[in-house]
Amino acid sequence: MMKKILVHTALTALLSMFLSGTLSAQDAVSGATHVQSNGYEKQDNKVTEAKFPGGNPALVKYLSENLRYPEKAEGTATVYVSFIVTTDGKVGNVHVAKKVDPLFDEEAVRVVTAMNEKHTWEPAIQNGKKIKSKVMLPIQFMK
């Protein structure tokens, strides 16, 4: 029988999910149009983060149903998985940003890569256009 990952642990991990690089929360604060001193309008770089279809509750459900505690692993671990959400909502360039143990690392990459089989993310939006974005997802394993 598969060992279950605690759902509240996954929820805690999801709440700390963030975009890195140029897509910061500060960029998403304002989307107003301003008139510069030269008379041209300048649009702020409003960014809406990429999100799993159905939001964080659906992502928690996906992880709780698909994440498996590795059979030969011991203890607890948090694996930070980095990936790109493309403009068409597919997950790509999946890799472990903070390696812990090969057993946990492989399972975290497997479950994120498998998202493409059944789910399409809502891509990030900047100034009304879909953009490619980087996501860092901490995945916690507990017995």
Side-chain angles (χ1 to χ4, degrees):
M1 180 175 175
M2 271 190 343
K3 296 178 183 173
K4 291 285 184 177
I5 307 303
L6 297 175
V7 172
H8 76 276
T9 302
L11 179 58
T12 302
L14 289 172
L15 293 177
S16 63
M17 184 174 85
F18 62 92
L19 294 176
S20 63
T22 60
L23 303 178
S24 68
Q26 294 168 338
D27 291 334
V29 173
S30 172
T33 300
H34 302 283
V35 177
Q36 298 178 3
S37 59
N38 62 7
Y40 291 100
E41 288 185 2
K42 175 188 171 204
Q43 185 155 356
D44 291 339
N45 291 325
K46 182 179 179 183
V47 175
T48 303
E49 296 179 358
K51 71 177 186 176
F52 191 79
N56 286 345
L59 184 52
V60 168
K61 183 179 180 194
Y62 170 80
L63 290 174
S64 67
E65 291 174 354
N66 293 283
L67 190 65
R68 297 182 209 129
Y69 188 93
E71 199 171 300
K72 295 181 181 181
E74 294 182 12
T76 63
T78 302
V79 178
Y80 290 84
V81 180
S82 176
F83 56 95
I84 300 295
V85 175
T86 64
T87 58
D88 64 353
K90 292 296 181 185
V91 171
N93 195 24
V94 180
H95 65 279
V96 175
K98 183 179 177 188
K99 295 183 180 191
V100 177
D101 174 288
L103 296 171
F104 293 124
D105 297 346
E106 288 173 21
E107 176 57 12
V109 168
R110 182 200 68 77
V111 77
V112 171
T113 302
M115 288 178 187
N116 282 333
E117 295 171 14
K118 296 181 182 177
H119 302 284
T120 301
W121 281 63
E122 295 175 24
I125 306 281
Q126 184 175 33
N127 296 327
K129 295 181 182 178
K130 294 177 182 180
I131 60 169
K132 179 170 65 169
S133 61
K134 184 175 182 180
V135 176
M136 179 78 68
L137 179 64
I139 298 177
Q140 292 187 334
F141 292 87
M142 298 181 82
K143 275 191 171 184

